[in-house]
Amino acid sequence: MITISSLIYYPIKACRGFEVESAHVERMGLKNDRRMMVTTPDGGFLTQREYPRLALVTPRLANETLELLAPNYDSIRLGIQKSGTPISVSVWKSKDVQAIDQGEDAAQWFSDWLGTAVRLVHVADGYKRLVNEEYAVNADDHTGF
């Protein structure tokens, strides 16, 4: 029998995660887990190794709204965009992952917090980033960022 001692999900890849008592599991994994990430202006993903201040960002989700909080910093609320004109981003070995840019307000907030130009993106509705076949159960298994 498998026992789960802790369950944590991360709304934005590389930002703070949340321990939860339960979670809804979708085909892509936990609902809302790693569906967003911070990228360079040309679409490369950021990690906490390069930008440790990402670990201090607390994303809060409510319906289709995202609130970003950080210590001693003004918070911001944004509507989450899941569809629109996709852009190509990369995460690890996955290139040309289709994502939706979350706009200038989100980009400015993260850019000011990190001290460098960045963008916030959400995986595009309908896009399927296939799981490495070594770990996949089915050929069409897919995940977020």
Side-chain angles (χ1 to χ4, degrees):
M1 176 196 269
I2 297 174
T3 301
I4 297 174
S5 61
S6 179
L7 186 59
I8 300 173
Y9 87 99
Y10 299 84
I12 302 175
K13 182 175 182 59
C15 291
R16 184 170 177 260
F18 295 94
E19 187 165 0
V20 293
E21 301 252 338
S22 64
H24 180 76
V25 179
E26 300 176 330
R27 184 73 195 268
M28 288 176 66
L30 296 181
K31 183 176 182 175
N32 297 319
D33 186 54
R34 294 175 183 90
R35 299 298 195 272
M36 290 181 275
M37 74 176 176
V38 182
T39 69
T40 61
D42 63 352
F45 76 106
L46 274 57
T47 69
Q48 285 183 11
R49 287 180 203 91
E50 302 163 306
Y51 298 93
R53 287 175 59 92
L54 284 170
L56 300 173
V57 174
T58 301
R60 289 191 184 151
L61 299 175
N63 300 316
E64 295 300 312
T65 301
L66 169 67
E67 183 178 17
L68 299 171
L69 302 105
N72 303 313
Y73 199 69
D74 289 338
S75 64
I76 187 173
R77 283 197 178 124
L78 311 158
I80 299 171
Q81 306 300 313
K82 297 180 182 179
S83 61
T85 304
I87 59 171
S88 291
V89 299
S90 63
V91 54
W92 301 114
K93 293 180 182 180
S94 298
K95 309 294 181 211
D96 296 322
V97 176
Q98 297 300 291
I100 304 300
D101 189 281
Q102 297 301 292
E104 294 305 320
D105 290 342
Q108 192 63 57
W109 190 93
F110 267 107
S111 295
D112 290 346
W113 175 251
L114 296 173
T116 190
V118 297
R119 307 297 300 180
L120 178 65
V121 299
H122 190 287
V123 67
D125 266 353
Y127 180 77
K128 294 183 179 180
R129 178 177 169 233
L130 295 178
V131 173
N132 182 313
E133 63 186 34
E134 184 178 331
Y135 305 107
V137 175
N138 301 300
D140 64 341
D141 286 346
H142 57 282
T143 188
F145 294 125

